[in-house]
Amino acid sequence: MNPLQRTLIEKTGHDNGFEHVLSPAGDAVTLASARHRSQAVVTALAEGFEVRFQPATPALLPELLRSFQPWSAAGDVFCAPTLANLAALLRRAASLSQALPNQAVRDYHAAVAQAVEAMPAEARGTEIERLVRQRVGQARYRDALLTYWGGACAVTGINVPEVLRASHAKPWAECADDAERLDAFNGFLLVANLDALFDRFLISFDDTGHLLTSARLSAGDLQGLGIQPGMRLRWLASEHQHYLQWHRECFLLGA
């Protein structure tokens, strides 16, 4: 790897979520970040770049495979033919690393600590603090879902932020801990009408992502709400299934 190639890799990393360069090892450049724990090991090829990730969460590689073709059958090595391709791959990896489980919880705890420290002493440990924690958590959860779903509804693909809602499959109050509350797999980014129905268990999704509707909704209701036959999630990860099963049991009880 020549100095120009190394410089281009380092700059591309810096501009796309991997702002730190670790000690160089041979012909590879190892990129890291203070904002997440994933690392990317980039090697210059005759044409393009080879990228190996050391993910902060096991969910990262399967999610990257939705958008990027692997270089190897193992699915853990990617080839970026151009700097633009490398930038897109690193940018998606960095954003997912911040949105997926573990990192989102750490970011939430840091944000809560900052918010509580700014509160008057007499408000700490009260209902006010509980509401602050919930507000911060819901904002972090929305950010995680916006990142995970690429800023578009998980069903319709509509990408108007003002009408998108972060829908929990297992509601905030029912979650066992912050890890569940902030898990990007515990729900979906939905347009407002689907969010309202999902929140009230009037719709759900089966194990393949197809939309299920309650018998309480008439054909006229479905038409008025924009519910069409064949609607389904754009994709469904295995990590969604646990939460979706919980939601579907509530849906079936009310259906």
Side-chain angles (χ1 to χ4, degrees):
M1 182 186 304
N2 62 49
L4 176 59
Q5 290 172 319
R6 184 176 295 277
T7 299
L8 289 173
I9 290 171
E10 292 177 0
K11 185 179 187 310
T12 302
H14 183 276
D15 293 344
N16 293 281
F18 289 85
E19 72 278 10
H20 295 318
V21 179
L22 303 185
S23 299
D27 287 334
V29 176
T30 301
L31 304 172
S33 174
R35 296 189 294 270
H36 58 80
R37 297 190 177 185
S38 293
Q39 295 181 7
V41 181
V42 185
T43 305
L45 305 174
E47 294 184 2
F49 307 89
E50 177 189 278
V51 186
R52 293 176 179 269
F53 287 102
Q54 298 172 6
T57 170
L60 177 62
L61 292 179
E63 293 303 329
L64 285 176
L65 290 172
R66 297 188 191 282
S67 306
F68 301 93
Q69 290 295 320
W71 179 256
S72 69
D76 59 352
V77 182
F78 297 83
C79 181
T82 68
L83 276 174
N85 298 134
L86 176 62
L89 176 59
L90 293 177
R91 186 163 57 249
R92 182 62 174 160
S95 61
L96 282 172
S97 294
Q98 291 177 269
L100 293 176
N102 301 327
Q103 185 63 44
V105 175
R106 284 192 289 270
D107 290 346
Y108 163 70
H109 288 158
V112 164
Q114 185 176 8
V116 170
E117 187 177 351
M119 292 170 55
E122 60 271 17
R124 298 175 188 176
T126 67
E127 177 68 6
I128 295 174
E129 180 179 331
R130 187 191 71 79
L131 291 174
V132 167
R133 289 177 177 274
Q134 183 169 334
R135 175 180 56 78
V136 172
Q138 289 173 342
R140 292 282 168 173
Y141 181 68
R142 175 178 166 79
D143 288 344
L145 286 193
L146 281 167
T147 295
Y148 179 78
W149 289 100
C153 173
V155 175
T156 66
I158 289 173
N159 61 356
V160 181
E162 291 82 358
V163 302
L164 295 175
R165 305 288 183 266
S167 300
H168 275 91
K170 187 175 183 180
W172 181 277
E174 299 291 339
C175 291
D177 51 30
D178 291 336
E180 282 195 343
R181 295 184 185 101
L182 298 166
D183 191 343
F185 294 112
N186 180 13
F188 308 97
L189 188 69
L190 299 173
V191 290
N193 62 322
L194 294 181
D195 165 66
L197 294 168
F198 190 74
D199 184 60
R200 296 296 180 178
F201 305 105
L202 291 170
I203 63 170
S204 192
F205 301 95
D206 67 17
D207 285 336
T208 63
H210 284 90
L211 183 72
L212 304 173
T213 59
S214 170
R216 294 164 56 191
L217 299 173
S218 68
D221 292 333
L222 295 175
Q223 183 177 7
L225 288 163
I227 306 297
Q228 302 171 4
M231 292 181 80
R232 61 177 299 171
L233 293 164
R234 288 157 53 203
W235 69 76
L236 187 66
S238 60
E239 291 87 350
H240 285 116
Q241 296 290 0
H242 165 71
Y243 297 110
L244 193 51
Q245 181 179 357
W246 191 99
H247 186 274
R248 197 160 52 240
E249 288 175 359
C250 294
F251 163 80
L252 292 172
L253 285 174

